[in-house]
Amino acid sequence: MEGVKVALLFGAFLCSSYAYEVSVSCMMAYDEGGASAVFNSPECHFSAAIKNGTDNCLVATHQGRRKYQEDRITCYPHVTVPVLDEDGPNEASMGIAAVFDGHGGKEASEMASQKFLDYFLLHVVFNTYKNLFSHSKEHEEAGQYSLKFKVDDESTHGILEKALLRTIKDIDSEFSQEALKNDYISGSTAIVVLWMNGQILVGNLGDSKTLLCSRKTHFYQDSKGDLVTRLQAEELTRDHHPDRDDEKARIEAAGGVVLVVGVPRVNGILAVSRSIGDIRLKRYGVVAEPEVTGWRRLSTEDWYVVIGSDGIFERMSPQDVCNILRETSIDSSSCPSSSSLADCIVHNAFSKGSSDNLSVVVIPLRQEQA
């Protein structure tokens, strides 16, 4: 009886933000084929939560000196997701930002940017539903009929992390089928940042970077007698280059080789060892499994999270990027041609001679912590 009550409660709650049906056949489609199976099923009706677009994010992108722009950006600072609290289903707000750096064509990065949010939210919804149903079933079998739930940040964070991993897996699987059908050779890196309740999670595959720029006070004085403060850069991701020991071991175990052609490349072709797509190199150890940092609590000294494609870092170090943010926050005239902090970073990377596509997302943290 309680299972029915909980199912009805959950359905009524979700109808306030989502339009879909969690029927038995729809759940079976999800279990068998993931997000794409749900969206392609005539029996399942799902639309994404109400969300704000990139006009509320600090983003910038530039084709640079390449013939084509293959980077894509996704950024939604306020997305409504279902969560479980003590009294049952509820709603919470979180932020999602991602950079997809395509290569060999724009097809992979285009699909990833278009599908990521809807697929991610679907995974959150369905796994929250499963947790709710499992909880109610356990209580019913134990003869307990209270609708109180024992939940914490770990259970919510676990669902969000699982949703991120499943989303990348589904996009890679769907794109691989499209690539075989249309003879695409393209691929894409992916770097995703989730933030919620003062904590962040980063998932990465490829060689884009996520930085944390944190305020550090140095105990010496400048010419005006003031203590010197700077924004110190911390890389939250590790590049997936084929010559990284663990990446090289996987490639060689799969029968691939790492050859230096300008830079280390898988079979002398691909300069990253993890990516969406690149179907011709999947058999040689290239995988679409993100490396995840784990949730990290932010402090009041953390000012910015920066997500950038590798073109940003071709001629600038992570510390250079944080220095730009610090200088621009003090004196906006230090980057007169820019209209935002993100524009300023792209402008500097291009002016320093970067030859690649340039894309960056800047997430100001102090307003999130206020």
Side-chain angles (χ1 to χ4, degrees), residues 73-366:
I73 292 177
T74 294
C75 186
Y76 299 97
H78 303 290
V79 178
T80 301
V81 294
V83 295
L84 295 177
D85 61 23
E86 188 181 64
D87 295 319
N90 208 329
E91 293 180 338
S93 178
M94 65 173 297
I96 303 171
V99 172
F100 303 99
D101 183 352
H103 47 261
K106 65 179 182 180
E107 296 89 0
S109 58
E110 184 80 15
M111 175 182 283
S113 65
Q114 290 178 350
K115 293 183 178 290
F116 183 86
L117 183 63
D118 285 347
Y119 280 23
F120 175 81
L121 290 173
L122 185 142
H123 283 301
V124 173
V125 168
F126 274 69
N127 281 285
T128 302
Y129 179 88
K130 285 186 174 184
N131 276 20
L132 178 62
F133 183 77
S134 175
H135 176 91
S136 63
K137 186 175 181 181
E138 289 175 3
H139 277 238
E140 186 177 7
E141 291 175 350
Q144 300 170 345
Y145 297 98
S146 170
L147 286 177
K148 296 295 182 181
F149 295 84
K150 184 180 180 181
V151 294
D152 50 33
D153 279 349
E154 288 187 5
S155 58
T156 298
H157 289 165
I159 287 173
L160 296 177
E161 181 175 340
K162 183 177 181 180
L164 189 161
L165 295 172
R166 285 289 306 273
T167 297
I168 295 296
K169 179 180 179 181
D170 282 355
I171 290 173
D172 178 66
S173 176
E174 186 172 345
F175 177 75
S176 295
Q177 295 176 31
E178 289 293 312
L180 285 170
K181 185 188 305 182
N182 297 290
D183 200 28
Y184 294 148
I185 63 170
S186 59
S188 177
T189 70
I191 190 160
V192 182
V193 175
L194 312 179
W195 65 98
M196 183 184 216
N197 296 332
Q199 297 187 61
I200 61 170
L201 176 77
V202 183
N204 176 52
L205 62 158
D207 57 0
S208 297
K209 297 181 187 294
T210 294
L211 314 177
L212 184 63
C213 298
S214 305
R215 183 178 65 176
K216 302 294 180 182
T217 301
H218 293 264
F219 294 99
Y220 59 86
Q221 295 180 328
D222 61 14
S223 59
K224 297 180 181 179
D226 297 326
L227 288 176
V228 175
T229 61
R230 66 194 292 257
L231 291 181
Q232 182 170 306
E234 178 186 354
E235 290 191 50
L236 302 183
T237 51
R238 294 195 301 159
D239 294 343
H240 295 128
H241 289 152
D243 60 340
R244 204 178 92 175
D245 289 345
D246 53 344
E247 300 294 296
K248 184 177 181 180
R250 187 185 68 250
I251 291 164
E252 292 179 342
V257 295
V258 178
L259 301 174
V260 177
V261 182
V263 296
R265 299 176 183 273
V266 180
N267 290 4
I269 300 170
L270 184 63
V272 293
S273 50
R274 301 193 192 197
S275 67
I276 293 169
D278 292 304
I279 60 172
R280 298 180 183 180
L281 294 171
K282 282 292 198 287
R283 72 181 69 178
Y284 298 110
V286 175
V287 297
E289 181 180 345
E291 193 168 13
V292 180
T293 60
W295 286 91
R296 170 176 177 151
R297 184 164 293 281
L298 299 165
S299 78
T300 55
E301 300 302 307
D302 299 326
W303 280 21
Y304 300 101
V305 170
V306 180
I307 315 168
S309 61
D310 66 321
I312 297 294
F313 304 99
E314 187 176 307
R315 296 296 178 90
M316 291 199 303
S317 69
Q319 187 58 55
D320 290 335
V321 172
C322 291
N323 289 344
I324 290 170
L325 293 176
R326 177 59 176 166
E327 292 165 5
T328 307
S329 66
I330 296 173
D331 180 9
S332 60
S333 66
S334 63
C335 196
S337 64
S338 300
S339 59
S340 77
L341 294 173
D343 290 322
C344 194
I345 293 171
V346 166
H347 168 76
N348 274 269
F350 183 75
S351 64
K352 290 179 182 292
S354 177
S355 61
D356 204 350
N357 296 153
L358 302 160
S359 295
V360 69
V361 180
V362 178
I363 303 168
L365 296 174
R366 285 187 292 171

